[in-house]
Amino acid sequence: MAGQSPAMVLVRSLLILAFVLLAAAACSHRAPPAQPENACSIFAQYPAWRRATERAERRWGISQGTQLAFVKRESSFQANARPPRTRRLIVLPGPRQSSARGYAQALDATWDWYRNDTGNRSARRTNFADAVDFIGWYASMSRRLSNISLDDPRNLYFAYHEGHGGYNRGTHRSKAWLQRAASQVEADARRYDSQLRSCPRRGWFRS
């Protein structure tokens, strides 16, 4: 780089490095599955997701289908999902509606609770394996704090959305839209689990 000072060369190199790192980060998140309604197709496309949900099921006792149903409802399988921004003066973007983020749409405070309780300090909400482990952990807390069966996706989702205090007070009962959402989560969970019991072995188990 003839004619450039060492400082300019350093700045240029740092800018190139920053661009490369940003591009790598942007490419590191997987696109949503091509067939999000079919658990067999999801795991054939992303075998690592199958292994992640199996680990979470062994650790926390929540089915793979329920994990997938929660992720589908919360983020549509998008790693960087965030709530929409509020609007100021109709057109100006304001703050986001909440701190929810990632596959599981976990709030900042709840994510910190999970990381502290499990010791998984490096967990990231944009990492699928961490997200489904979080869902399993939260379900286990729902069983402990709200006496909800791990085989009850509908009520697990109520507690997930309202928090354990809200669920125990019955805040979900007056929210028609949440009743519909929880019913859809339950239907998705049952369908996914049924599909997984009959997935063709070929392709699904590839590494």
Side-chain angles (χ1 to χ4, degrees):
M1 298 181 183
Q4 293 189 8
S5 68
M8 288 296 294
V9 171
L10 177 61
V11 169
R12 183 187 177 101
S13 299
L14 289 174
L15 288 173
I16 293 173
L17 177 61
F19 177 80
V20 170
L21 291 175
L22 286 172
C27 295
S28 65
H29 299 310
R30 301 176 184 230
Q35 298 182 53
E37 301 296 328
N38 189 293
C40 301
S41 296
I42 292 171
F43 288 162
Q45 183 175 355
Y46 294 131
W49 288 12
R50 171 183 59 82
R51 295 190 291 271
T53 55
E54 285 177 341
R55 285 194 299 270
E57 183 176 37
R58 287 194 301 269
R59 184 178 189 186
W60 305 111
I62 184 173
S63 77
Q64 292 175 271
T66 300
Q67 296 171 52
L68 290 176
F70 273 50
V71 174
K72 176 177 178 286
R73 176 67 199 183
E74 290 298 291
S75 67
S76 299
F77 297 101
Q78 297 180 66
N80 284 317
R82 301 281 301 271
R85 291 186 179 276
T86 56
R87 292 288 172 180
R88 293 174 175 169
L89 300 177
I90 302 178
V91 295
L92 297 178
R96 295 190 185 276
Q97 295 174 357
S98 77
S99 62
R101 184 181 177 192
Y103 285 111
Q105 288 296 278
L107 299 170
D108 287 350
T110 315
W111 190 254
D112 287 342
W113 180 22
Y114 158 74
R115 294 195 304 168
N116 290 331
D117 193 57
T118 62
N120 189 8
R121 299 297 304 168
S122 63
R124 293 178 292 114
R125 284 173 280 187
T126 55
N127 179 281
F128 185 86
D130 291 335
V132 294
D133 191 69
F134 168 83
I135 290 169
W137 167 82
Y138 197 92
S140 75
M141 299 301 292
S142 296
R143 181 175 60 177
R144 184 190 312 174
L145 301 176
S146 300
N147 197 31
I148 302 173
S149 168
L150 294 177
D151 191 38
D152 185 355
R154 180 179 172 83
N155 280 292
L156 287 174
Y157 187 73
F158 284 142
Y160 191 86
H161 191 276
E162 299 293 278
H164 301 114
Y167 175 85
N168 294 342
R169 293 192 304 273
T171 57
H172 57 288
R173 297 193 184 102
S174 61
K175 299 178 179 179
W177 67 269
L178 183 56
Q179 297 283 334
R180 292 190 296 271
S183 293
Q184 184 62 60
V185 167
E186 181 177 35
D188 286 339
R190 302 302 185 200
R191 186 186 70 256
Y192 283 143
D193 280 330
S194 177
Q195 291 168 345
L196 290 173
R197 286 192 289 270
S198 58
C199 283
R201 295 309 195 208
R202 184 177 181 181
W204 184 42
F205 283 99
R206 71 174 183 266
S207 299

